[in-house]
Amino acid sequence: GASPVPSVVRGSFVVKFWTAPAMSATINHEGTDQPLPVEVRERPTAHTSIYKAGQLVYDGAAASDESAAAARAAASMEPGTSLNQMLAWGIANSSPEELERRAAAGATAPSQLDQEVLDMLLGQPAVASMRAALGKLDAEGIAAGAGATEAALAALEELEYYCEDVDLAVDFAKIGGLRAALLVLGAPPAAAEGGADDSTAASADGHLPEMRPPDAELAEAACGVVAAGAQNNPPFQQACIALRTHRALLALLVATGEAAAPVPLQRKALLALSAIARGSAEAAAAVLVQPAALPCFGRLAASGDAKLRRRALQFLLALLRDYALSAEALRPHVTPAALVAAATPPADAETAAAALHVAIALSGDAAFRRAFAGAGGGALTAAPDEEEVAALLQQLLPRLTSD
């Protein structure tokens, strides 16, 4: 037991102090004294096994064995069998000096497969998948008139899915996806590289690249990829302007007669061009500075194809609302008769509303109001279920009779 210490008398009380016995450094276990541990050694959390409801969901012992195997592989100059072991071996055996020497000597760039493996190792499986899709696309082969259409279509559909994500769309541009899309659209190879001396680099002098899509269906799918990536995505929009993608798309829309692109391709090209220009003052200015832009959009607003007409009117309305386009600049290119026709039944409500919005924006000019009324605008009516169209007519019709 404890050893007593001499008592101390304080007043009428006697206080006795006791000292605790010294703790033994050993413990008796089955008749044998075993030393107690003198320090706490914690293992890495990666080596801790995790159980959930009695089921092993993470084996810490296996992770410990794998780390040890990776260390042994690195030490023995053997790459091992798992990705982690190979990565550890590569880091342990890499030479910065040798890499610099190879870079200075112009060593061969990493192959498509090398890039995909690097993306996987760096935790970017989606980027690796996009690289694989671009490899299947074979944009250069398609531009040369070869390539498997079905495989290329599947690859473009996959790329469009990835480009709906804002961050992945930016990654798509970084790994050369836009250049591949331009080749599929029929842009000259030099134009797809975005060089300063190619035909797409011409200033606002009316010269646009000569577009020859090798396959209209593939070009339409490529427009879908660009449209998905550019939607409310400023970095992607800037990349499109840097590569002059807007000029290539405009060239597809400007061509008329026998050189005109098929209507489905025109629809997708206009959708992609609209996505590039909307919400970005810089991109809108780059589009509108082209002399052929507004005359082309005015012609499309009077197109006989309902979907193409609706998209053109909605695009013009967006430019007006973003203050990228003034009514004075647009008025000479959109005829009042085209707007009246677009707002006349059986036109759908979306097309009619867009046409009336544009008409209201242009109605500040007396000559426009007279021409709009003369084209039958004063007799426009709205269906009972078209509340927005009815409200716009109530706003526009009084202006026509004010002169």
Side-chain angles (χ1 to χ4, degrees):
S3 303
V5 178
S7 303
V8 177
V9 179
R10 291 183 179 277
S12 58
F13 296 94
V14 177
V15 180
K16 294 185 178 181
F17 297 93
W18 299 84
T19 59
M23 181 175 290
S24 175
T26 61
I27 186 173
N28 188 279
H29 177 66
E30 297 181 353
T32 304
D33 290 337
Q34 301 289 339
L36 293 173
V38 296
E39 61 178 340
V40 177
R41 298 180 181 178
E42 295 186 2
R43 292 177 61 83
T45 55
H47 298 167
T48 302
S49 298
I50 301 175
Y51 291 83
K52 183 176 181 181
Q55 297 292 328
L56 179 65
V57 296
Y58 177 77
D59 191 352
S64 177
D65 294 341
E66 184 174 327
S67 298
R72 289 193 300 272
S76 62
M77 301 294 289
E78 295 179 358
T81 56
S82 71
L83 289 177
N84 286 338
Q85 293 171 4
M86 288 188 284
L87 180 60
W89 178 86
I91 294 173
N93 294 279
S94 63
S95 171
E97 294 79 10
E98 176 64 15
L99 292 176
E100 291 181 3
R101 186 193 65 78
R102 294 183 62 186
T108 305
S111 66
Q112 177 84 17
L113 181 59
D114 292 335
Q115 293 286 4
E116 294 174 23
V117 171
L118 286 173
D119 290 330
M120 292 295 293
L121 290 174
L122 295 175
Q124 296 178 311
V127 177
S129 298
M130 286 193 292
R131 287 189 192 274
L134 287 173
K136 297 174 185 177
L137 182 59
D138 186 20
E140 295 181 359
I142 292 172
T149 302
E150 292 185 3
L153 278 175
L156 287 168
E157 289 177 359
E158 182 180 359
L159 291 170
E160 181 177 354
Y161 166 76
Y162 284 119
C163 284
E164 291 176 355
D165 182 278
V166 173
D167 295 328
L168 292 180
V170 175
D171 290 334
F172 170 79
K174 289 180 179 178
I175 63 176
L178 276 176
R179 290 183 174 87
L182 283 170
L183 289 174
V184 176
L185 287 174
E193 294 299 324
D197 57 350
D198 60 67
S199 57
T200 59
S203 58
D205 57 2
H207 291 89
L208 293 170
E210 184 179 356
M211 304 295 290
R212 295 180 178 177
D215 187 288
E217 189 176 8
L218 291 177
E220 184 182 347
C223 288
V225 175
V226 176
Q231 191 75 27
N232 299 318
N233 193 343
F236 192 93
Q237 292 170 320
Q238 293 172 4
C240 289
I241 298 302
L243 288 175
R244 304 172 182 90
T245 311
H246 61 296
R247 293 179 183 263
L249 294 169
L250 184 59
L252 289 173
L253 296 170
V254 167
T256 57
E258 294 182 358
V263 172
L265 177 54
Q266 291 187 52
R267 294 173 184 165
K268 277 297 182 71
L270 182 57
L271 178 66
L273 186 60
S274 173
I276 291 173
R278 287 191 184 192
S280 170
E282 178 186 359
V287 171
L288 293 175
V289 75
Q290 308 302 318
L294 286 179
C296 174
F297 300 153
R299 175 176 57 82
L300 295 178
S303 171
D305 181 75
K307 184 176 290 186
L308 192 57
R309 180 173 63 246
R310 179 173 66 249
R311 286 182 177 173
L313 289 168
Q314 290 176 336
F315 182 27
L316 291 173
L317 178 58
L319 292 174
L320 288 168
R321 285 177 169 174
D322 291 343
Y323 300 101
L325 176 63
S326 66
E328 290 73 18
L330 177 60
R331 195 174 288 120
H333 304 288
V334 177
T335 64
L339 296 177
V340 171
T344 301
D348 61 274
E350 291 184 7
T351 303
L356 293 175
H357 273 296
V358 173
I360 291 172
L362 303 181
S363 64
D365 179 72
F368 176 87
R369 294 194 297 269
R370 290 192 295 270
F372 190 88
L380 289 174
T381 58
D385 57 341
E386 296 178 352
E387 297 181 359
E388 181 182 6
V389 174
L392 291 171
L393 287 174
Q394 290 179 0
Q395 184 179 352
L396 176 62
L397 294 181
R399 301 185 183 188
L400 302 180
T401 58
S402 61
D403 296 329

